[in-house]
Amino acid sequence: MLEQSPTPKKRRRGRLFRISSAFVVLLAVAGYLVVQYVTGGRGGPGCKVVSGKNDGQEYEFSQEQTMNAATIAAVGTGRGMPERAVTIALATSLQESQLVNIQHGDLDSLGLFQQRPSQGWGTKKEILDPTYAAGVFYEHLSKVDDYQKLPLTVAAQRVQRSGYPEAYAKHEPEATLLSAALTGQAAATLTCQGLPDSTQANVGPDAVRAALVRDFGRTVLKETGAEVTGSGSTSKGKAKAKSTPAPSASATGGSSTVTLPVRSGSTRTGWQLAHWAVANSSELHIERVSYAGREWAAGSADDPWHSTATKAAGGVRIVTERQGGEK
């Protein structure tokens, strides 16, 4: 028995259904793009890095991208790598993953640098740890002869062995600005909207200390005279170094303050720590960061790093919500 052809009325209904479905999809995509524009991309409210040379150069990133960039920079300086190495690492990650810790890629490539477990970069779990991924990248970069003198794309390619070796060069300008801010070379050049991530429960001074140790290594607190436990919190024992006070925490109202001492003459270190705190502000519910007579406050992206009447005593001051976000 032959099937009857659809009537003109049914055909019109089919076309209308397909058109309506396509329209719904387009609306969803448009809505997604609007959200991405308003929030600065994946990871919540946006961040901006500007040139320290007052030449008008600036770039915008999501909070997630900036937090990952801060980790890459911290791991580099924690290993004693120069600013050029940090720039190469940031440009590489911008090309490979847009500074997003993605769980997929070409073949078995993963993470910030699209490293492959099958090629000996580590296990899947290790590669998806931004601190590990950055560390193993620097380990390979340090073995490249004269990498600081090489063009960025050449140095990156000798580590990555990419099928698109020229692609890294296009990210050098933005990586250079990020590196200058996140290594503390350029003061007060990184700002974020910094509205807290409501799903993040691990906040407070101990969370800040743990994140510092995670990114910079244990010496970031030991150098200031603090004992560091496995959780990242300082011990109650005596400080080893008496020349600089240990990181301290105090609570006032609904907030807690973590003070990171900065030795005299270490302004660059101070600005790296201050910018790191801003980059992690959403994740760690950081409300304010003060250093060297300047202050950043969450939600004040239009008035970043304004001058304060007095310099914060004792170094970098980080004001967070209390544990659990209590008010």
Side-chain angles (χ1 to χ4, degrees):
M1 181 176 179
L2 295 174
E3 293 183 359
Q4 292 184 342
S5 299
T7 65
K9 186 175 182 180
K10 287 183 177 180
R11 285 198 295 269
R12 285 196 299 273
R13 286 178 178 174
R15 284 197 299 270
L16 286 172
F17 177 79
R18 289 192 294 271
I19 292 171
S20 298
S21 298
F23 184 69
V24 169
V25 171
L26 286 173
L27 283 177
V29 171
Y32 171 81
L33 291 175
V34 168
V35 170
Q36 297 303 292
Y37 177 80
V38 171
T39 64
R42 289 185 59 179
C47 302
K48 180 188 293 185
V49 62
V50 301
S51 172
K53 300 177 181 178
N54 295 319
D55 55 10
Q57 191 178 17
E58 62 180 48
Y59 294 94
E60 293 185 354
F61 302 93
S62 72
Q63 187 90 44
E64 178 184 8
Q65 289 175 306
T66 311
M67 184 170 64
N68 287 328
T71 292
I72 291 171
V75 172
T77 55
R79 287 171 168 254
M81 302 293 283
E83 184 180 347
R84 178 63 174 173
V86 175
T87 301
I88 295 169
L90 290 171
T92 300
S93 184
L94 279 163
Q95 170 58 28
E96 297 291 354
S97 69
Q98 283 296 301
L99 285 170
V100 174
N101 195 26
I102 53 180
Q103 300 189 32
H104 57 81
D106 182 45
L107 299 176
D108 60 338
S109 300
L110 298 164
L112 293 175
F113 296 91
Q114 287 293 278
Q115 296 157 338
R116 298 178 60 189
S118 65
Q119 299 299 309
W121 286 93
T123 66
K124 178 180 178 179
K125 182 178 180 180
E126 287 174 333
I127 291 172
L128 288 174
D129 175 357
T131 303
Y132 173 89
V136 75
F137 177 88
Y138 288 122
E139 181 181 330
H140 282 72
L141 180 64
S142 66
K143 297 176 182 177
V144 176
D145 292 337
D146 296 324
Y147 72 84
Q148 293 192 69
K149 299 178 182 178
L150 295 174
L152 183 146
T153 192
V154 174
Q157 173 62 6
R158 290 189 181 175
V159 175
Q160 295 294 105
R161 309 291 184 183
S162 170
Y164 305 94
E166 300 301 321
Y168 302 107
K170 65 185 178 184
H171 298 290
E172 186 165 4
E174 55 194 308
T176 299
L177 256 63
L178 267 178
S179 179
L182 292 171
T183 61
Q185 180 66 35
T189 53
L190 177 71
T191 187
C192 293
Q193 185 69 8
L195 300 178
D197 176 4
S198 60
T199 64
Q200 176 65 31
N202 188 24
V203 298
D206 283 345
V208 172
R209 293 191 187 98
L212 280 163
V213 172
R214 175 199 68 201
D215 287 358
F216 289 92
R218 292 179 179 275
T219 56
V220 70
L221 297 185
K222 284 187 176 180
E223 286 176 353
T224 63
E227 292 288 344
V228 182
T229 66
S231 67
S233 61
T234 57
S235 72
K236 297 180 180 179
K238 294 181 178 180
K240 288 186 177 181
K242 297 182 179 179
S243 58
T244 308
S248 60
S250 60
T252 303
S255 300
S256 297
T257 300
V258 178
T259 301
L260 301 174
V262 177
R263 288 188 173 90
S264 177
S266 300
T267 304
R268 181 170 177 175
T269 298
W271 277 113
Q272 179 173 20
L273 292 169
H275 285 152
W276 175 92
V278 171
N280 284 272
S281 56
S282 181
E283 180 81 5
L284 298 174
H285 289 211
I286 293 171
E287 298 175 346
R288 293 193 306 278
V289 180
S290 303
Y291 179 63
R294 306 289 291 275
E295 183 175 80
W296 165 90
S300 60
D302 294 333
D303 183 26
W305 289 111
H306 61 273
S307 298
T308 58
T310 58
K311 291 186 178 182
V316 179
R317 294 179 67 249
I318 302 171
V319 179
T320 73
E321 293 180 1
R322 282 188 182 179
Q323 187 71 29
E326 294 178 358
K327 286 292 184 182

